[in-house]
């Protein structure tokens, strides 16, 4: 789950303020020593103390393991059923519910201030670090120095490198304490340094925002961050539903947002068969494994999960985990048709590309572009357009 929100973070950073453009040092690449001196000059211009800069200096070294991780990034190749079963397990559910009780007053305060309910925060807490048990062991400043010097995404990582120095300068964490994910994320819910600075909250009033060890600070900070991503107080985010066999499957797409009343009118009910609310709340029908598998209605708050992680497999798992922590029963996994192996998916993507569909990189991953292309081909072939690729579809192409 590390390095999960880089695209969203990049948009945030480009919209924010940064002193990087004001510096004459190269934005990336070139002599590493000159690059480091440029970073130090930028830090001084940002008002960071000489003491903090010097404390961080020994950490401003390159780590080839970070670049290896960056180059080897993969998206989720497991089906949603496989991934969610592994991640939303009994132990994680039990611990999550125990934490919701243990920190009930903190969760209530955070929800009152941000609108974000405890189960939504606790799900990310559990998925990202197992509630603080697995924080990562990469040296944060070294990781960010490596990625800021590298020319693939310096515009993202250089501001976070300066942010990490500011975290140290404010006395939140020392450079030695900054250990986390390979892409510079820190803390029990894995946020990047500029997010640490912007949303970091000293919830227990001890004068320090410690997202590594201070649970109250973690929960308050995560709530504020999720609020910033657009959380709408008092509204649902995801609900398991039952879909009739005669549903017009081409309307089952994340991009297709309709009033919940429209889906109710098409025969969709709650998972237990009771009537769906018939109101104007926008919703999308998600069939992660096709019409034979589980089905969910996703509401505007689900967009926050997608901002946290663009992968539908991860974001849907996080949203589902949140519903389970809120008391929902396990979803009915149904009887989905067999999917494709990674190699079969690559073959499918190649065929779809040859037919003029934009599926992006041929990587064997069922992403949004591939799902939409599958849906269009299913419609062309007169098949139920649920966006789930099967061996039969591959053969038909």
């Amino acid at each position: 789950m590390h390095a999960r929100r880089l695209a969203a973070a990049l948009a945030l950073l480009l919209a924010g303020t940064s002193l990087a453009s004001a510096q004459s040092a190269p934005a990336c690449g070139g002599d590493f020593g000159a690059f480091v001196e440029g970073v130090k000059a930028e830090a001084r211009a940002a008002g960071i103390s000489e003491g903090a800069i010097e404390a961080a200096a020994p950490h401003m070294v390159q780590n080839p393991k970070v670049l290896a991780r960056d180059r080897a990034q993969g998206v989720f190749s497991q089906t949603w059923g496989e991934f969610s079963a592994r991640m939303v397990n009994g132990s994680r559910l039990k611990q999550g519910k125990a934490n919701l009780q243990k920190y009930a007053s903190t969760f209530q305060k955070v929800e009152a201030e941000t609108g974000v309910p405890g189960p939504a925060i606790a799900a990310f807490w559990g998925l990202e670090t197992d509630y603080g048990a697995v924080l990562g062991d990469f040296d944060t400043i070294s990781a960010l120095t490596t990625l800021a010097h590298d020319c693939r995404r310096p515009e993202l990582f250089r501001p976070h490198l300066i942010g990490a120095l500011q975290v140290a300068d404010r006395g939140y964490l020392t450079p030695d304490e900054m250990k986390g994910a390979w892409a510079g994320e820190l803390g029990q819910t894995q946020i990047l340094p500029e997010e640490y600075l912007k949303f970091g909250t000293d919830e227990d009033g001890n004068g320090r925002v410690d997202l590594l060890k201070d649970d109250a600070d973690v929960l308050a900070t995560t709530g504020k961050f999720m609020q910033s991503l657009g959380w709408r107080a008092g509204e649902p985010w995801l609900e398991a539903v039952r879909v009739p066999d005669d549903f017009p499957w081409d309307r089952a797409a994340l991009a297709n947002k309709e009033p919940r009343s429209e889906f109710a009118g098409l025969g969709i009910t709650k998972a237990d068969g009771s009537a769906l609310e018939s109101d104007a709340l926008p919703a999308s029908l998600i069939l992660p494994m096709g019409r034979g598998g589980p089905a969910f209605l996703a509401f505007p708050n689900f967009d926050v999960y997608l901002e946290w992680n663009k992968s539908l497999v991860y974001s849907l798992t996080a949203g589902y985990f949140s519903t389970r922590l809120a008391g929902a029963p396990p979803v009915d996994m149904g009887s989905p048709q067999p999917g494709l192996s990674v190699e079969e998916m690559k073959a499918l993507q190649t065929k779809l590309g040859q037919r003029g569909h934009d599926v992006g990189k041929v990587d064997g991953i069922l992403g949004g572009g591939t799902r939409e292309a599958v849906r269009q081909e299913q419609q062309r072939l007169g098949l139920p357009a649920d966006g789930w690729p099967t061996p039969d579809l591959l053969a038909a192409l």
Side-chain angles (χ1 to χ4, degrees):
M1 265 47 71
H2 301 323
R4 67 216 179 286
R5 298 188 315 280
L6 299 184
L10 176 57
L12 254 173
L13 294 174
L14 292 179
T17 59
S18 170
L19 296 174
S21 60
Q23 305 305 313
S24 59
C28 67
D31 180 77
F32 184 72
F35 168 81
V36 169
E37 289 306 312
V39 170
K40 290 180 179 179
E42 183 179 340
R44 293 185 187 102
I48 297 172
S49 71
E50 199 64 34
I53 294 170
E54 290 309 308
H59 299 264
M60 292 186 194
V61 295
Q62 291 175 296
N63 185 344
K65 292 182 179 179
V66 169
L67 291 181
R69 287 287 190 94
D70 185 59
R71 301 301 188 260
Q73 279 190 81
V75 205
F76 298 93
S77 59
Q78 293 175 307
T79 67
W80 183 80
E82 293 167 338
F83 184 76
S84 63
R86 180 166 65 87
M87 301 304 291
V88 186
N89 56 52
S91 174
R92 198 167 271 145
L93 280 165
K94 181 178 179 180
Q95 190 174 356
K97 290 177 180 179
N99 279 327
L100 284 168
Q101 291 184 336
K102 180 179 180 180
Y103 298 103
S105 60
T106 301
F107 278 118
Q108 289 167 3
K109 183 172 183 286
V110 172
E111 182 170 9
E113 293 175 348
T114 67
V116 185
I121 296 170
F124 285 122
W125 191 17
L127 290 179
E128 293 294 340
T129 66
D130 264 331
Y131 310 103
V134 186
L135 297 175
D137 57 4
F138 280 86
D139 182 296
T140 300
I141 292 176
S142 174
L144 290 169
T145 300
T146 302
L147 293 166
H149 179 259
D150 182 55
C151 283
R152 198 163 86 85
R153 290 176 294 178
E155 70 279 9
L156 169 61
F157 291 107
R158 185 160 176 147
H160 282 303
L161 175 55
I162 301 299
L165 301 187
Q166 289 174 319
V167 168
D169 197 33
R170 291 186 187 182
Y172 296 161
L173 299 172
T174 68
D176 288 340
E177 289 175 317
M178 288 188 202
K179 296 288 193 300
W182 66 263
E185 294 148 322
L186 279 165
Q188 296 187 31
T189 51
Q190 300 284 276
I191 68 173
L192 288 158
E194 286 210 330
E195 297 163 358
Y196 199 127
L197 294 167
K198 187 172 183 179
F199 304 106
T201 304
D202 178 17
E203 183 63 23
D204 53 11
N206 66 359
R208 182 186 186 201
V209 179
D210 183 355
L211 301 186
L212 297 180
K213 299 177 182 178
D214 195 322
D215 294 346
D217 290 1
V218 169
L219 303 182
T221 299
T222 306
K224 287 185 177 180
F225 177 61
M226 293 178 70
Q227 180 188 38
S228 79
L229 297 178
W231 191 274
R232 293 160 53 152
E235 292 187 8
W237 55 92
L238 191 74
E239 182 177 15
V241 293
R242 189 183 297 179
V243 186
D245 292 339
D246 60 353
F247 183 82
W249 299 107
D250 60 311
R251 291 167 76 167
L254 187 59
N256 179 46
K257 298 182 185 298
E258 302 185 44
R260 183 158 48 177
S261 58
E262 288 291 323
F263 289 110
L266 290 168
I268 291 181
T269 66
K270 292 180 177 293
D272 62 6
S274 59
L276 200 64
E277 291 87 349
S278 186
D279 57 24
L281 185 66
S284 299
L285 180 63
I286 301 178
L287 305 172
M289 300 166 69
R291 67 190 188 282
F296 298 92
L297 281 185
F299 305 103
N301 277 336
F302 184 67
D303 291 344
V304 172
Y305 291 84
L306 289 165
E307 286 294 324
W308 189 291
N309 190 307
K310 299 297 184 184
S311 163
L312 181 62
V313 170
Y314 179 89
S315 57
L316 189 60
T317 297
Y320 171 58
F321 188 19
S322 301
T323 67
R324 295 295 309 281
L325 289 173
V331 67
D332 181 0
M333 288 294 181
S335 300
Q337 290 184 296
L340 302 179
S341 67
V342 172
E343 291 306 313
E344 288 173 328
M345 189 71 75
K346 288 180 179 179
L348 174 70
Q349 290 173 322
T350 299
K351 288 187 175 184
L352 291 172
Q354 292 170 347
R355 288 185 171 275
H357 297 285
D358 181 10
V359 298
K361 182 180 178 182
V362 175
D363 55 8
I365 305 299
L366 180 56
T370 301
R371 282 185 184 271
E372 180 56 32
V374 166
R375 187 175 289 108
Q376 291 180 26
E377 287 300 312
Q378 287 172 327
Q379 288 179 309
R380 183 181 67 81
L381 294 168
L383 302 172
D386 61 1
W388 177 242
T390 64
D392 287 345
L393 175 66
L394 178 59
L397 295 177

